[in-house]
Amino acid sequence: MRLVSALAVVILHVAGALASTCCNQLQQQLGDNLSFPNDATYNATVSSFWSMQESGLRPACVLRPATVLEVSKALEILSGNVECEFAIKGRGHAPAAGFANVNGGVLIDLATLSSVSLNQDSSVASVGAGAKWLDVYQHLDGSGVQVAGGRNGNVGVGGLLLGGGISHFTTKVGWGSDNVVNYEIALANGTIINADRTHYSDMFHALKGGGNNLGVVTRFDLATFPQGDISTTTITYNISQRADVFEAFTKLLESPKYDPLASLITSLLYRSTTKTWTLSSSAVYTKPVTQPAFYADLFAIPHETLVNNITSLAEYADEKDTFSFNWNFATTTLKPCAENLQKMFDTLNDTIYSFNPEGGVTWSIALEPLVAAMLPNSGDTNILGLERAYPGFVVLISALWPNSTANSEVEAKAQSVLSAWEADAKSKGLLQDFQYLNYAAPHQKPLHSYGKDEFDFLKSTSEKYDPGRILQRNVGGFKL
Ligand SMILES: Cc1cc2nc3c(=O)[nH]c(=O)nc-3n(C[C@H](O)[C@H](O)[C@H](O)COP(=O)(O)OP(=O)(O)OC[C@H]3O[C@@H](n4cnc5c(N)ncnc54)[C@H](O)[C@@H]3O)c2cc1C
């Protein structure tokens, strides 16, 4: 026993020494932008993660690069020492521990690279990879154009686009990543390249869903489209109306002509402290139409509240961020079936109704259409393998809770609900392979879910541009 703890001390000592070697090497070249535990800048970065699981990790140092060249220099240094573990942080909204932060390693916080500009003919917006979506929408507000990005303005441009990116405009222009026309990216060895349809086209394709496996993206150039005000409607129903809501939701998914201006999330919310369920639909229409006919069936169901606003994208995305909670995300994709949604509700209710750890848990289940209109129709296709996953809907099961001692219990509950849903859906032929990377739990395999050809392509592209496998071995997240 004494030998084991002595060994543990030696290992910790060696790990600490390695981390400080990596930080020291960075400090020699990039000193001004490096911060250490208890520095104000270090604390600001570490406390800006969305989940407590991420903000609970303690990197040995934080680099906030001022320029793209500094990102390049940092990667050159870090890849020169195979022991240097590091993390890449956009806006820190991936909840799982170790996806954009690292205990004892180097954290590269890209928030400093967040400039936004629009080219002369307003066709392309260039966005620093550390921007959040609100920066982009506010910059473009009033210009007559917008881009396809996150619905919540606090979410990072980097993480969202590298995992795919569902926006209010997905039925109109495809996924966020389909609309990237050029990536400026620092490869693992520090080389900076620009990948577009004709240059480094394999890299260009792989970045449309490949996560943080290809390099550190420093700038995204995004195709814009004309956009004015939008219409937003939130409807809440008594949970007893769920059969009708599931029926209407399913009917919309199956409609032969899905309205390309319609963006819908139907959600269930459960609070364990009060044992109350809430059912709602957030129906956005990307033109200023007060009651879009497409949602008529959802509007017709008796509801408790219905709030409609005509507003701008920038205003709607300006949400208050919720910090200081533990969060868990997990996902699946299913074929439309109202009866199955009823069964899913029953399974969920049976599993979580009486589970109330100290401080409580709030569960949210978001159902998001995945219809033919969301398949890429341009040459800039993503790598998500969606052709095999529609019609259907993406399910995000998330939980938030304040009490960290309940982490493993909440995660186990989420996993057990998900397994029961998937086993049941599979037996009925309703399970799709696709797992959306940006909603997936660490135990899931979203990159594999794209399909064998897509996975093999990602793997070979990563081997071509990162032969030392630095991003596979030394950086956390979903790996190849
Ligand atoms: C409140 C909330 C709302 C959301 N809304 C949406 C939505 O509307 N649509 C949607 O599709 N998803 C949505 N998501 C999911 C979101 O897309 C993911 O959480 C995404 O990973 C967040 O990106 P980030 O940059 O903030 O996160 P981070 O945690 O900083 O990064 C996520 C991952 O991407 C990597 N990464 C980030 N930037 C770079 C870069 N420049 N180069 C290389 N790797 C990088 C990180 O290493 C990490 O593994 C939402 C999430 C939350 C919490």
Side-chain angles (χ1 to χ4, degrees):
M1 195 63 192
R2 219 182 290 157
L3 183 68
V4 173
S5 37
L7 204 62
V9 170
V10 172
I11 290 170
L12 279 175
H13 187 74
V14 172
L18 283 172
S20 58
T21 307
C22 307
C23 292
N24 287 343
Q25 287 172 356
L26 288 172
Q27 200 177 25
Q28 279 165 25
Q29 309 240 13
L30 304 164
D32 289 350
N33 298 322
L34 212 66
S35 63
F36 292 88
N38 299 325
D39 290 350
T41 347
Y42 175 100
N43 290 343
T45 287
V46 173
S47 61
S48 68
F49 284 97
W50 187 64
S51 77
M52 281 168 70
Q53 293 99 321
E54 277 285 67
S55 58
L57 303 183
R58 286 286 166 271
C61 57
V62 171
L63 174 69
R64 300 185 90 190
T67 61
V68 174
L69 287 178
E70 290 190 0
V71 176
S72 153
K73 188 80 222 163
L75 287 173
E76 194 188 320
I77 293 167
L78 293 170
S79 61
N81 182 345
V82 289
E83 309 294 345
C84 287
E85 289 189 0
F86 62 101
I88 310 156
K89 174 179 181 283
R91 283 301 176 130
H93 274 65
F99 274 51
N101 197 0
V102 55
N103 240 348
V106 175
L107 171 56
I108 304 176
D109 179 2
L110 296 169
T112 36
L113 301 180
S114 60
S115 67
V116 185
S117 62
L118 186 60
N119 71 349
Q120 216 162 19
D121 67 2
S122 298
S123 59
V124 175
S126 293
V127 181
K132 58 180 179 177
W133 285 104
L134 192 61
D135 299 332
V136 185
Y137 301 151
Q138 286 180 339
H139 185 93
L140 298 178
D141 200 29
S143 70
V145 297
Q146 273 296 353
V147 292
R151 289 159 294 190
N152 177 318
N154 297 305
V155 170
V157 169
L160 184 132
L161 287 178
L162 292 170
I166 306 176
S167 75
H168 293 306
F169 308 99
T170 314
T171 41
K172 186 166 122 173
V173 298
W175 288 55
S177 53
D178 299 337
N179 291 276
V180 185
V181 294
N182 178 63
Y183 299 84
E184 180 187 73
I185 176 170
L187 304 180
N189 68 4
T191 308
I192 298 169
I193 62 169
N194 274 276
D196 64 16
R197 210 187 275 196
T198 47
H199 305 94
Y200 303 101
S201 57
D202 48 0
M203 174 62 94
F204 180 62
H205 186 42
L207 284 166
K208 294 172 184 284
N212 67 5
N213 289 296
L214 287 314
V216 179
V217 176
T218 47
R219 195 189 75 233
F220 296 87
D221 295 336
L222 308 177
T224 64
F225 46 84
Q227 184 61 44
D229 278 352
I230 60 173
S231 162
T232 68
T233 309
T234 305
I235 325 168
T236 60
Y237 310 91
N238 188 287
I239 192 66
S240 61
Q241 299 291 345
R242 63 185 178 278
D244 286 350
V245 173
F246 294 157
E247 195 68 53
F249 178 79
T250 305
K251 210 174 131 195
L252 284 182
L253 293 187
E254 288 172 336
S255 63
K257 215 172 168 318
Y258 199 95
D259 189 331
L261 301 180
S263 160
L264 176 67
I265 307 179
T266 290
S267 305
L268 288 155
L269 196 93
Y270 179 71
R271 288 198 172 84
S272 74
T273 45
T274 51
K275 294 202 182 328
T276 45
W277 279 101
T278 312
L279 178 59
S280 65
S281 280
S282 165
V284 168
Y285 201 71
T286 59
K287 268 201 175 148
V289 176
T290 305
Q291 289 232 339
F294 184 71
Y295 298 123
D297 286 351
L298 280 173
F299 294 159
I301 299 167
H303 43 266
E304 292 176 341
T305 59
L306 186 153
V307 180
N308 174 264
N309 282 305
I310 303 295
T311 183
S312 69
L313 183 64
E315 202 174 325
Y316 192 55
D318 193 359
E319 291 189 39
K320 205 164 171 286
D321 222 350
T322 47
F323 285 106
S324 301
F325 285 106
N326 293 288
W327 281 92
N328 186 68
F329 275 12
T331 190
T332 187
T333 306
L334 304 172
K335 291 184 190 169
C337 175
E339 211 177 292
N340 190 49
L341 278 166
Q342 289 264 48
K343 178 80 195 306
M344 286 168 69
F345 175 82
D346 293 340
T347 306
L348 181 66
N349 193 44
D350 289 349
T351 317
I352 63 174
Y353 188 79
S354 305
F355 173 61
N356 185 27
E358 203 189 322
V361 188
T362 300
W363 295 88
S364 160
I365 289 76
L367 312 174
E368 307 189 23
L370 184 53
V371 293
M374 296 175 178
L375 297 184
N377 48 17
S378 72
D380 301 339
T381 52
N382 61 55
I383 185 89
L384 308 175
L386 293 170
E387 311 74 50
R388 293 182 292 276
Y390 80 95
F393 56 99
V394 172
V395 183
L396 166 61
I397 171 167
S398 63
L400 77 90
W401 66 103
N403 175 2
S404 303
T405 60
N407 286 14
S408 42
E409 269 183 297
V410 179
E411 283 155 20
K413 282 281 175 206
Q415 201 166 336
S416 109
V417 170
L418 193 71
S419 306
W421 282 350
E422 289 196 327
D424 197 38
K426 194 167 184 184
S427 72
K428 296 173 186 153
L430 296 173
L431 182 66
Q432 303 279 28
D433 289 336
F434 180 62
Q435 296 171 349
Y436 180 31
L437 182 141
N438 282 337
Y439 293 171
H443 65 84
Q444 298 192 279
K445 295 209 173 308
L447 296 166
H448 289 80
S449 83
Y450 300 168
K452 188 177 178 323
D453 289 352
E454 287 81 357
F455 182 82
D456 289 348
F457 175 79
L458 281 174
K459 208 162 157 34
S460 64
T461 310
S462 115
E463 281 160 7
K464 175 174 165 189
Y465 290 97
D466 177 19
R469 294 180 47 77
I470 299 294
L471 295 157
Q472 299 307 306
R473 284 186 310 193
N474 294 355
V475 175
F478 293 110
K479 296 288 104 181
L480 293 163

